[in-house]
Amino acid sequence: MIKRIVLGGIVLLAGWHTHAQSKNEVKLNILNTIALASVEVGYEHFIDSNQSIGAEILINDQFSYFLEKSGEKFNTNSVLASYNFYFGNKGENASGYYMYPFIKYRFGDFEEKKTIEGVEVKVKTDMDSFILGLGSGYKWVWNDKFAIGPYASIARNFSEDVNDKFIAIEVNAGFSIGYRF
């Protein structure tokens, strides 16, 4: 019974992979990796020539472009899901201008040193929160394999603890490098 399920799964995956040629993209936000030491790795599955669903993992996800000061440290990661609409090329390579609504969940904490009654203590802010936003960008695609392009987004954070410490509206930008298969 288990062998049949495993064999059926392998056959389905092989069929899906054959059907999904040139319908997937893995990407890295190189700008934030260099500027913020934040690693943003993403995946897109193209549903049509002008639509895709995406998922990203953000390691060391900092609050927008808020720069850490001495004695302050972000210890946060995030997962993000998006639905991407391409408005450019009407061919099969989903390129040009695009927009994407997204939902993001950030988890972790922000730590800072404060002096309270002459004693230096570490104070942590719980950064767990849901974030809704909208982004836009432009993507160039070469040979149906390599994709690069800038993008920016604006989002609303729904955590009272985070909004007490930081502004509720987050702005993010990046430059992605991707490979399609």
Side-chain angles (χ1 to χ4, degrees), residues 43-47 51-55 81-84:
Y43 169 80
E44 274 186 73
H45 174 70
F46 294 93
I47 300 168
Q51 297 177 47
S52 70
I53 53 174
S82 64
Y83 197 95
N84 307 294

Side-chain angles (χ1 to χ4, degrees), residues 92-108:
E92 294 185 21
N93 68 359
S95 61
Y97 291 103
Y98 66 99
M99 292 188 74
Y100 59 100
F102 65 90
I103 185 167
K104 178 176 169 179
Y105 180 71
R106 180 184 291 128
F107 51 94

Side-chain angles (χ1 to χ4, degrees), residues 105-150:
Y105 180 71
R106 180 184 291 128
F107 51 94
D109 58 51
F110 173 74
E111 183 180 284
E112 62 186 323
K113 292 180 183 175
K114 286 190 174 182
T115 304
I116 301 174
E117 297 179 7
V119 178
E120 191 172 279
V121 295
K122 291 182 182 179
V123 177
K124 288 187 178 184
T125 302
D126 182 10
M127 297 292 285
D128 293 4
S129 58
F130 278 99
I131 302 158
L132 291 175
L134 182 65
S136 180
Y138 191 89
K139 195 174 283 188
W140 292 275
V141 178
W142 284 277
N143 298 327
D144 258 355
K145 292 291 181 193
F146 300 100
I148 64 168

Side-chain angles (χ1 to χ4, degrees), residues 7 16 41 48 52 56 62 65 96 98-99 101 109 116 120 124 147 169:
L7 182 59
W16 176 75
V41 178
D48 198 354
S52 70
E56 289 186 33
Q62 295 191 19
Y65 287 99
Y98 66 99
M99 292 188 74
D109 58 51
I116 301 174
E120 191 172 279
K124 288 187 178 184
I169 304 299

Side-chain angles (χ1 to χ4, degrees), residues 19 36 47 61 75 78 83 89 96 119 124 135 146 148 165:
H19 174 71
L36 301 175
I47 300 168
D61 182 23
N75 182 26
S78 298
Y83 197 95
N89 188 350
V119 178
K124 288 187 178 184
F146 300 100
I148 64 168
K165 178 76 181 164

